[in-house]
Amino acid sequence: MSKYLKLFTASAIGLSLAIPASAEKLGLGRPALPEEIAAWNLDVAPDGTGLPVGSGDVFTGEEVFAEKCAICHGDFAEGVGNWPKLAGGEGTLADKDPLKTVGSYWPYLSTVWDYVNRSMPFGDAQSLEPDEVYAIVAYILYSNDLVDDEFTLSQENFLDVEMPNADGFIVDDRETSEAHFWTAEPCMTNCKDSVEITMRAAVLDVTPEETEANAAAAEAVPAAQEASAEAEVTTEEATALDPEMIASGEKVFKKCKSCHQVGEGAKHRTGPALNGIVGASAGTVEGFKYSKAMKAAAAGGLVWTDEEMAAFLAKPKAYMKGTRMSFAGLKKQDDIDAVIVYLRSFGS
């Protein structure tokens, strides 16, 4: 060590020893301005504290969700790949493999709003305006059948929304109720000689083999084999349909339109165009590449009668194992009936 370095080190040590323990403030910085504090104070409490003024309806939320969220969470909040599912899972929390979503698990709506507002969309966090956040949360609620399609969420009615699992949590009292685990003398007797892994945290056999998918699809159509494959909807029949049912079905069909089109100029998207689908043979729309499961069902004689269509719309994946249709299904029978009537109005 050079003599200059030794001198500097000694001086520094001496100076530090000379400074009293309760030194005066250094005079650096300034108090944070209210607007600076507000920029960081973004959290929203379960009682609504922290919510900004704003509102957003389900229809707007569907459009914003499709643009900014669907790439990870699916058009219907059903999840894509390993990205989280935000809808579904009702009544599964007691199952061996529960599906924890906003609708089935989250106890507070404020958590949804807060998370979307602060962390979403992925890669562009905090880019959403308050009205967009309200609209997205409204759409997520709608996707979980917690509100209707005309619902508008705002800071005024925020606390009126009841989350299904609001009473499913308890206060963590382990610090007192389980204190004996770490305060008592540890038991050091009768220990196992070795520890072996007997199970792994994995769900096995959830993906059916191709042959199973084909067989299941074929088994799903015995009732349809008796239906006429030449059934068509005439203009007179479409005219006779209930206008109110058609209007209701059009609203419900908003859940389907990101994948399917109907009407004049309808084109194939992720799913086939659905003009003339009711009463038609399955898997016969020209120009669309169907899944193997749908091809197998078509080969088995499946015809989209009202009954078969209703069963498919209720639970697509349960009805036809191996289908590429990711939609979880319509829970309300009235919605199913309305969609079928709406589709019937597009007879060709």
Side-chain angles (χ1 to χ4, degrees):
M1 182 182 293
S2 69
K3 64 179 181 179
Y4 297 105
L5 183 56
K6 290 180 179 178
L7 179 61
F8 176 80
T9 303
S11 298
I13 294 175
L15 181 61
S16 64
L17 293 175
I19 297 176
S22 57
E24 295 296 326
K25 294 182 179 178
L26 300 178
L28 300 176
R30 60 170 174 75
L33 299 175
E35 57 267 27
E36 293 172 329
I37 296 175
W40 285 90
N41 187 21
L42 301 176
D43 61 306
V44 176
D47 63 359
T49 301
L51 280 171
V53 175
S55 65
D57 60 84
V58 170
F59 183 76
T60 302
E62 181 183 24
E63 294 180 333
V64 179
F65 192 91
E67 178 184 354
K68 299 180 181 291
C69 314
I71 190 171
C72 295
H73 298 290
D75 291 312
F76 312 106
E78 77 279 11
V80 175
N82 290 327
W83 295 103
K85 296 176 174 63
L86 304 181
E90 180 182 1
T92 69
L93 296 185
D95 294 351
K96 181 179 180 181
D97 185 29
L99 176 56
K100 298 180 179 179
T101 70
V102 171
S104 69
Y105 182 71
W106 292 33
Y108 302 120
L109 187 59
S110 58
T111 310
V112 187
W113 204 101
D114 193 33
Y115 192 86
V116 172
N117 184 48
R118 289 202 278 173
S119 303
M120 294 290 111
F122 182 67
D124 195 18
Q126 298 187 27
S127 64
L128 297 171
E129 296 296 328
D131 286 352
E132 291 179 307
V133 178
Y134 279 112
I136 288 174
V137 175
Y139 179 67
I140 293 173
L141 290 172
Y142 172 69
S143 298
N144 283 279
D145 292 325
L146 300 180
V147 298
D148 59 37
D149 58 354
E150 297 181 351
F151 177 75
T152 298
L153 180 67
S154 70
Q155 83 282 359
E156 296 180 349
N157 66 353
F158 194 85
L159 297 182
D160 295 337
V161 179
E162 297 183 5
M163 302 300 283
N165 199 39
D167 298 326
F169 288 78
I170 60 174
V171 176
D172 186 354
D173 64 346
R174 287 175 293 178
E175 187 175 359
T176 55
S177 65
E178 299 182 7
H180 59 280
F181 286 122
W182 60 83
T183 56
E185 288 294 324
C187 171
M188 302 301 294
T189 60
N190 299 322
C191 299
K192 292 183 177 180
D193 296 331
S194 62
V195 177
E196 299 178 358
I197 298 176
T198 58
M199 297 182 67
R200 296 185 181 276
V203 179
L204 304 178
D205 301 324
V206 296
T207 304
E209 296 294 334
E210 194 65 43
T211 54
E212 292 180 4
N214 293 342
E219 291 175 1
V221 300
Q225 292 177 351
E226 300 178 2
S228 171
E230 300 178 355
E232 295 181 356
V233 179
T234 65
T235 303
E236 292 76 17
E237 288 175 326
T239 304
L241 297 175
D242 186 348
E244 292 185 4
M245 286 285 283
I246 294 176
S248 178
E250 184 177 10
K251 291 181 179 179
V252 180
F253 192 78
K254 291 176 182 178
K255 294 185 177 183
C256 315
K257 67 179 184 179
S258 61
C259 295
H260 299 280
Q261 289 188 347
V262 290
E264 185 177 356
K267 297 180 180 179
H268 302 321
R269 305 183 78 174
T270 304
L274 298 180
N275 290 341
I277 189 65
V278 181
S281 298
T284 57
V285 177
E286 293 185 6
F288 185 77
K289 187 177 180 180
Y290 288 96
S291 65
K292 292 183 179 179
M294 185 63 75
K295 290 179 180 178
L302 175 60
V303 174
W304 290 123
T305 62
D306 287 6
E307 293 76 14
E308 298 298 331
M309 181 69 72
F312 183 69
L313 290 174
K315 292 184 178 180
K317 289 188 177 296
Y319 176 91
M320 184 180 294
K321 294 182 179 179
T323 179
R324 289 202 302 260
M325 186 164 169
S326 59
F327 183 44
L330 297 172
K331 295 182 179 180
K332 300 178 180 178
Q333 187 61 46
D334 289 346
D335 288 347
I336 294 173
D337 295 340
V339 167
I340 294 175
V341 171
Y342 176 66
L343 292 175
R344 274 194 175 280
S345 68
F346 299 95
S348 60

